[in-house]
Amino acid sequence: MTPVIRGLPGGSYCAPMTVLEVLPSPTREAAARWDDAECARWAACGEPADLGRCVYVTRLLGADRALVLHGGGNSSVKVLGRDLVGRPRQELYVKGSGQDMATIAADGFSPLDLGPLRRLLELEALDDEEMLRQQRCALLDPAAPAPSVETLLHAFLPHRFVLHAHPEALLALLQTPGGAERARRLFEPELLVVPYVQPGFALARKVAELWQRRGGDGVAGLVLLHHGVFTFADDARTAWERLSRAVSRAAAELPPLPPARRAFSGPRWTPLEIAALRREISRLAERPLVVHLDDSDLARRFAASPQAGELVRRGPLTPDDVLRTRRTAALVPHPGQTRAVLARWARDYRGEYRRFAGGRRLRMLDPAPRLIVVPGNGIFAAGPTARAARIAGELYHRTVEAMLRAEGAGGFRPLSARRIFDMEYWAPEQAKLARQGEPLPLLGRVALVTGAAGGIGGAIVEALMAAGAAVAGVDRIPTPQRDGYLGIPCDVTAAGALEGAVARTVESFGGLDLVVAGAGVFPGGDPIELLDPQQWQRTLEVNCTSGLTLLRHAVPLLKLAPAGGSVVVVGSRNVLAPGPGAAAYSASKAALTQLARVAALELAPFGIRVNVVHPDGVFDTGLWTPEVLAARARQYGISVAQYRRRNLLHTEVTSRDVARLAVALCTDTFRCTTGAQIPVDGGDARVV
């Protein structure tokens, strides 16, 4: 039986502790990155001040993607606080689970009562679910993020500031033959080398046992095999410098990346071949997934290397990565082999699950790979959202670099398949699956919207993203890039512009499921006898011909949509009830509507739905300036407020109203509807 550990470190952590300074001087790079004045500014706005210092050093750590990536790593600070009646209380602020260290603020830390956490380590055993429940019970603010799974280890360590990272160089070194011996030679006695233990109570207990056996005085940090490094001190700068020095030591032991031996090989895949790959991954996952391409020099070099076929089966850089990347990647040498290779990968995954699950009651994850290595292209990464796909790709990019460097130092030897499986099917992760509610209606879908910078187009973009879709927005006016959104500036009438926009969408997100033809112009209200022929032609090109061009390039991809394709055309009330002075606009929108009707007939056999929305009186767009609204209201002898509600329902129609309907037409709510024309105008007597 494991002995009960008593006398855990607790003392007055608000007073500096004596820790031996035996590590070499910090690197010039680390010294240059630390800024005392900036740290002081964070401390001045922190409450307490040490929390501000912890925010600063955490962001400094998170800014280096060779140290931490996407929610990985954590940090903490211990302070002396007071409860509501003024009694002193030891408090721990630990980075909240999943918080990005590069952008974290004070509210990204979880404040906890330190006393109950330390008492938990006196237990002989504690399962993961109960540990997480007890951590939530110790929260001083129930609205704070969930504490890190490594909170108990932070609580055990007596030092005020604790930093934890997953440095690429250190992990590569630890996963070479004899990595543990190298770590002991390099770091002990200053850093305590700890065998791999799954994060949580077991890890905290293991460190506590080693700490007592060794005696904690003089320990400046922990090197966790296959996991990462902890460093600690009673001031933030010292903790940071200790971590930087440890990473520098590890990096010095590794050879640089070997030079490329030959040029990248293999042809670039076409958008249709990429979309077919995504469809096959989504079929195995039984839901649409977004696919992101990493075509960096490193990714393409790895994909073309002779050892790629063997290295993709090795495993992740850290066990935590498996939650986003799965244990292994698939290598597809040629688009014609996509289905066979992925089917073989799925069979292997199912076999591994049966072998390691044993009699445990686990919920098997879908047997679809998240990483596909393609010579000539690079590395495709899949996920339920664009962000998840990008993160999986970035994690594997780091793994690839570490693998190649480790191969030069004797070989890359990650944790065993069984230990990786235990992390992938860890009880808290299984509990998350059980608690999952209904997914967003368009999760995993990829949409392309023209006219994306306008009032209606912009509202449709936001509504699609809120429904879970990844969106490419096309407009002459540039729109800023963000997670899940690709802004593509282009003139929809320019030769090759829409073909290029469709290709960029596929490279960024893997395919195309939804198309919204929203680009349009409304020329001046000239009567027919004064209508400029060039204005007529330009209006037809933007409002109608661009829709045809878009469909020509999009339809082959929509046929490969994992859950069926959908097209929404933004028409106009003028199609059904034109007005004087709008010949070019009315005729172009009528032609676009007729094009949509034909498309609905042609595409129905492929499961692609085509529907039209006819908005009118949408006044929150650039067309309706206050001056134009006032002039129109005067023409009717009514106020501007009355003019805005000049419809049967006496309601104001907004861009968001149009967007809600457009997005609903893309969902399963309208899965049995195609060829429909739906007004969004509050009711018009001429249309009704």
Side-chain angles (χ1 to χ4, degrees):
M1 179 180 294
T2 305
V4 176
I5 299 175
R6 304 289 183 189
L8 300 177
S12 175
Y13 49 78
C14 290
M17 298 182 66
T18 303
V19 178
L20 299 180
E21 276 295 342
V22 289
L23 290 174
S25 300
T27 62
R28 272 184 285 180
E29 179 188 2
R33 289 175 60 193
W34 182 274
D35 186 330
D36 280 325
E38 185 67 14
C39 183
R41 280 192 290 272
W42 280 97
C45 64
E47 183 56 48
D50 270 348
L51 177 58
R53 295 183 181 96
C54 191
V55 172
Y56 169 72
V57 72
T58 302
R59 291 168 72 103
L60 192 65
L61 186 59
D64 189 340
R65 292 309 193 187
L67 299 178
V68 293
L69 271 180
H70 305 297
N74 41 62
S75 57
S76 70
V77 62
K78 302 177 183 74
V79 302
L80 188 61
R82 294 189 179 276
D83 64 16
L84 287 177
V85 296
R87 291 174 300 194
R89 176 175 61 196
Q90 295 180 337
E91 297 173 355
L92 171 71
Y93 286 81
V94 66
K95 193 207 80 164
S97 179
Q99 299 289 313
D100 186 349
M101 296 180 81
T103 58
I104 196 168
D107 60 4
F109 285 80
S110 307
L112 299 121
D113 187 342
L114 186 57
L117 295 177
R118 283 183 161 166
R119 286 193 291 273
L120 289 176
L121 288 169
E122 298 177 5
L123 298 171
E124 294 186 18
L126 184 66
D127 69 57
D128 294 316
E129 280 294 290
E130 183 60 27
M131 177 196 73
L132 296 178
R133 195 178 77 83
Q134 291 297 324
Q135 289 181 180
R136 288 193 295 272
C137 290
L139 276 171
L140 300 175
D141 179 0
S148 165
V149 71
E150 285 156 340
T151 292
L152 291 186
L153 180 51
H154 285 264
F156 167 80
L157 295 167
H159 306 76
R160 184 182 288 125
F161 291 90
V162 178
L163 302 178
H164 172 42
H166 302 152
E168 177 187 307
L170 177 64
L171 287 164
L173 183 70
L174 295 178
Q175 300 186 110
T176 57
E181 290 72 21
R182 287 186 179 188
R184 293 187 181 94
R185 174 177 56 82
L186 273 179
F187 299 116
E188 287 190 338
E190 301 90 356
L191 306 182
L192 188 61
V193 176
V194 181
Y196 177 77
V197 179
Q198 197 159 295
F201 178 78
L203 175 59
R205 281 280 304 209
K206 185 65 175 179
V207 170
E209 290 173 7
L210 293 175
W211 188 283
Q212 284 196 333
R213 190 184 310 159
R214 152 77 185 272
D217 289 345
V219 175
L222 310 169
V223 173
L224 309 179
L225 300 181
H226 300 286
H227 187 157
V229 61
F230 276 78
T231 57
F232 26 79
D234 283 295
D235 67 276
R237 180 167 186 164
T238 301
W240 160 253
E241 290 176 347
R242 287 173 175 162
L243 191 144
S244 299
R245 291 195 293 268
V247 175
S248 297
R249 275 189 173 184
E253 289 285 309
L254 287 172
L257 279 172
R261 296 180 181 177
R262 58 194 178 103
F264 306 137
S265 63
R268 297 280 286 189
W269 284 20
T270 67
L272 283 176
E273 290 166 341
I274 296 172
L277 171 69
R278 171 180 176 248
R279 181 179 64 175
E280 194 58 30
I281 299 169
S282 300
R283 185 186 68 81
L284 291 170
E286 297 185 343
R287 57 174 171 156
L289 295 178
V290 178
V291 173
H292 173 74
L293 172 62
D294 175 4
D295 61 353
S296 63
D297 285 350
L298 178 66
R300 294 179 64 200
R301 172 179 164 186
F302 174 73
S305 64
Q307 66 266 45
E310 196 274 326
L311 288 177
V312 295
R313 298 194 293 271
R314 290 280 179 87
L317 187 59
T318 74
D320 291 6
D321 290 1
V322 73
L323 301 176
R324 296 183 183 272
T325 66
R326 301 294 165 89
R327 190 178 70 82
T328 64
L331 187 141
V332 181
H334 185 274
Q337 298 174 279
T338 296
R339 187 166 193 135
V341 169
L342 298 191
R344 185 165 58 249
W345 191 97
R347 283 196 303 271
D348 292 344
Y349 184 88
R350 293 187 188 99
E352 200 166 88
Y353 173 84
R354 288 191 296 269
R355 189 162 65 253
F356 296 144
R360 288 181 287 175
R361 298 179 63 184
L362 300 175
R363 177 179 171 184
M364 193 183 88
L365 305 177
D366 68 74
R370 294 301 188 263
L371 299 162
I372 302 90
V373 177
V374 176
N377 292 261
I379 301 166
F380 290 96
T385 65
R387 183 174 186 271
R390 177 179 57 80
I391 288 174
E394 289 179 4
L395 289 172
Y396 199 62
H397 186 102
R398 185 179 71 157
T399 297
V400 163
E401 184 167 354
M403 279 197 293
L404 294 176
R405 295 186 70 183
E407 284 294 292
F412 181 69
R413 301 291 183 270
L415 208 59
S416 70
R418 178 177 289 277
R419 301 299 292 272
I420 298 295
F421 177 89
D422 289 341
M423 174 56 75
E424 187 174 13
Y425 285 87
W426 189 35
E429 294 300 321
Q430 288 279 295
K432 284 182 187 177
L433 290 175
R435 291 194 298 266
Q436 281 181 349
E438 280 294 311
L440 293 171
L442 297 179
L443 188 67
R445 266 73 160 193
V446 178
L448 185 149
V449 180
T450 61
I456 291 176
I460 290 174
V461 166
E462 296 305 319
L464 284 167
M465 294 185 69
V471 182
V474 175
D475 204 291
R476 293 181 67 182
I477 302 171
T479 49
Q481 316 294 338
R482 51 197 160 112
D483 256 339
Y485 179 76
L486 172 69
I488 305 176
C490 84
D491 180 347
V492 295
T493 67
L498 284 172
E499 181 181 13
V502 168
R504 282 192 61 190
T505 302
V506 175
E507 286 199 351
S508 296
F509 301 133
L512 192 58
D513 305 277
L514 316 170
V515 169
V516 179
V521 293
F522 188 94
D526 291 332
I528 292 173
E529 61 187 298
L530 300 177
L531 186 59
D532 182 350
Q534 290 185 343
Q535 186 182 80
W536 167 270
Q537 188 62 38
R538 173 66 178 170
T539 305
L540 284 175
E541 287 176 354
V542 174
N543 291 0
C544 180
T545 306
S546 72
L548 171 64
T549 305
L550 177 61
L551 287 176
R552 284 181 55 243
H553 295 298
V555 164
L557 293 160
L558 292 174
K559 291 179 180 179
L560 295 170
S566 182
V567 177
V568 175
V569 169
V570 180
S572 169
R573 188 280 319 259
N574 281 35
V575 172
L576 305 172
Y585 180 77
S586 300
S588 63
K589 285 292 187 178
L592 178 65
T593 300
Q594 197 72 348
L595 172 66
R597 296 177 67 195
V598 174
L601 294 170
E602 292 183 357
L603 300 181
F606 304 100
I608 301 170
R609 298 179 289 113
V610 184
N611 295 290
V612 183
V613 295
H614 290 309
D616 183 52
V618 184
F619 298 114
D620 59 344
T621 65
L623 172 68
W624 293 97
T625 63
E627 294 76 19
V628 170
L629 270 173
R632 290 293 179 89
R634 282 195 300 271
Q635 288 178 8
Y636 287 89
I638 56 178
S639 69
V640 169
Q642 290 171 321
Y643 184 76
R644 286 177 176 272
R645 293 171 172 79
R646 195 174 57 89
N647 53 57
L648 294 178
L649 293 175
H650 302 294
T651 187
E652 186 168 343
V653 182
T654 68
S655 296
R656 291 180 62 189
D657 295 317
V658 182
R660 277 195 291 266
L661 177 57
V663 170
L665 285 167
C666 295
T667 68
D668 284 347
T669 301
F670 285 89
R671 68 181 185 84
C672 299
T673 301
T674 193
Q677 298 183 51
I678 307 176
V680 194
D681 56 10
D684 187 308
R686 296 175 63 202
V687 172
V688 172

